[in-house]
């Protein structure tokens, strides 16, 4: 087949309507994602994905507000650091600091909108683009390993799995981002109570704005829970 005829086919495969999953699959993937988030043995390795999206959120917003992105580091304890250069205060720095804890939930909300519109393949493509962008900016070995392993899993599903499995995987990703975006906010506040998070995003925002750190923790939680509720309505209601 000639390239001129395959290009529209590829475009249609990615952006056209995909296989519509049954309601039971939507519920099962939601339950599976919730179990991964709630059960510590499953949450610990899976949290690396949330960290990747968290740091990608910092990096993307930093670039959008005109800061210079220097690099991203992902650590084995599932923490991460994004370094950008620019004005150390002002709206750009506030938005950059704000982006991390809301990025997974907002991305999950976006994926829910795509899935509600029956665009499963677009979710997979966006995940691939996100992972590639993070991989380019990662500056430590563990970070590279974490992104590559996640990318290989994504590739295996998108390349070898049938449409039904790909759809279930896309729903699982969306639900995991939505549920997984909430739990780190509670973990953050527990660390803050113990005095172990003095350089957290919430405390940086407190220094930048004068509003207390607890206000920003509450803001993270409201945004994340709001995204979860809206996405759940899109995915579960007829």
């Amino acid at each position: 087949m000639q390239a001129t005829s395959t290009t529209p086919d590829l475009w249609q495969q990615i952006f056209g309507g995909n296989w519509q999953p049954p309601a039971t699959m939507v519920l099962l993937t939601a339950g599976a994602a919730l179990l991964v988030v709630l059960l510590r043995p499953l949450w610990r390795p899976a949290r690396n994905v949330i960290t990747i999206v968290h740091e990608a959120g910092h990096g993307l917003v930093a670039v959008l507000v005109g800061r210079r992105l220097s690099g991203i580091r992902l650590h084995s304890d599932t923490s991460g650091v994004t370094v950008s250069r620019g004005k150390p205060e002002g709206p750009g720095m506030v938005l950059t600091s704000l982006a991390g804890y809301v990025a997974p939930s907002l991305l999950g909300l976006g994926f829910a909108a795509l899935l509600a519109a029956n665009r499963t393949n677009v979710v997979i493509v966006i995940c691939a683009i996100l992972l590639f962008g993070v991989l380019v900016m990662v500056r430590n070995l563990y970070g590279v390993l974490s992104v590559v392993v996640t990318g290989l899993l994504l590739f295996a599903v998108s390349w070898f799995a049938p449409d039904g499995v790909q759809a279930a995987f896309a729903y699982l990703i969306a639900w995991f981002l939505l549920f997984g975006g909430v739990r780190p906010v509670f973990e953050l506040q527990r660390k803050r109570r113990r005095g172990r998070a003095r350089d957290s995003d919430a405390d940086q925002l407190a220094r930048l704005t004068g509003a207390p750190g607890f206000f920003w923790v509450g803001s993270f939680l409201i945004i994340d829970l709001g995204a979860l509720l809206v996405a759940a309505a899109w995915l579960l209601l007829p």
Side-chain angles (χ1 to χ4, degrees):
M1 185 177 294
Q2 296 179 353
T4 54
S5 62
T6 59
T7 300
D9 293 341
L10 180 61
W11 187 266
Q12 175 63 26
Q13 182 180 357
I14 295 175
F15 295 100
N18 305 126
W19 179 75
Q20 179 68 42
T24 52
M25 177 183 290
V26 180
L27 291 172
L28 287 173
T29 53
L34 184 59
L35 283 177
V36 171
V37 172
L38 292 178
L39 299 179
R40 184 176 178 83
L42 298 177
W43 169 244
R44 180 59 187 267
R47 197 186 190 284
N48 285 287
V49 176
I50 299 298
T51 303
I52 291 172
V53 179
H54 178 116
E55 301 305 331
H58 283 312
L60 177 60
V61 173
V63 171
L64 291 177
V65 300
R67 298 179 62 81
R68 182 180 177 184
L69 185 59
S70 301
I72 295 172
R73 300 179 70 87
L74 306 171
H75 303 138
S76 58
D77 63 354
T78 72
S79 66
V81 176
T82 298
V83 179
S84 63
R85 301 186 184 280
K87 189 176 179 181
E89 55 188 17
M93 190 62 195
V94 170
L95 289 173
T96 300
S97 300
L98 178 63
Y101 276 98
V102 301
S105 294
L106 293 181
L107 183 61
L109 179 64
F111 285 171
L114 289 170
L115 292 171
N118 200 21
R119 297 294 185 268
T120 303
N121 287 342
V122 182
V123 172
I124 303 297
V125 170
I126 293 174
C127 287
I129 294 172
L130 170 68
L131 288 172
F132 178 77
V134 173
L135 182 61
V136 170
M137 296 308 302
V138 166
R139 296 293 182 263
N140 67 319
L141 181 59
Y142 181 83
V144 171
L145 179 63
S146 180
V147 175
V148 168
V149 169
T150 305
L152 288 175
L153 175 60
L154 182 70
F155 172 77
V157 172
S158 62
W159 193 259
F160 298 109
D163 289 347
V165 175
Q166 290 186 30
F169 188 65
Y171 273 86
L172 183 64
I173 291 172
W175 284 119
F176 175 69
L177 290 172
L178 291 163
F179 289 127
V182 175
R183 177 166 176 171
V185 180
F186 289 99
E187 295 175 344
L188 168 63
Q189 185 56 26
R190 283 200 299 270
K191 289 182 179 179
R192 292 185 70 252
R193 284 203 307 265
R194 298 169 184 170
R196 295 168 50 196
R198 299 185 185 280
D199 292 324
S200 71
D201 293 350
D203 292 281
Q204 290 182 36
L205 285 164
R207 290 191 289 269
L208 287 167
T209 65
F214 185 75
F215 168 83
W216 292 108
V217 175
S219 299
F220 298 155
L221 185 60
I222 290 171
I223 294 171
D224 292 346
L225 288 176
L228 173 59
L229 291 175
V230 173
W234 289 345
L235 295 176
L236 296 176
L237 297 180

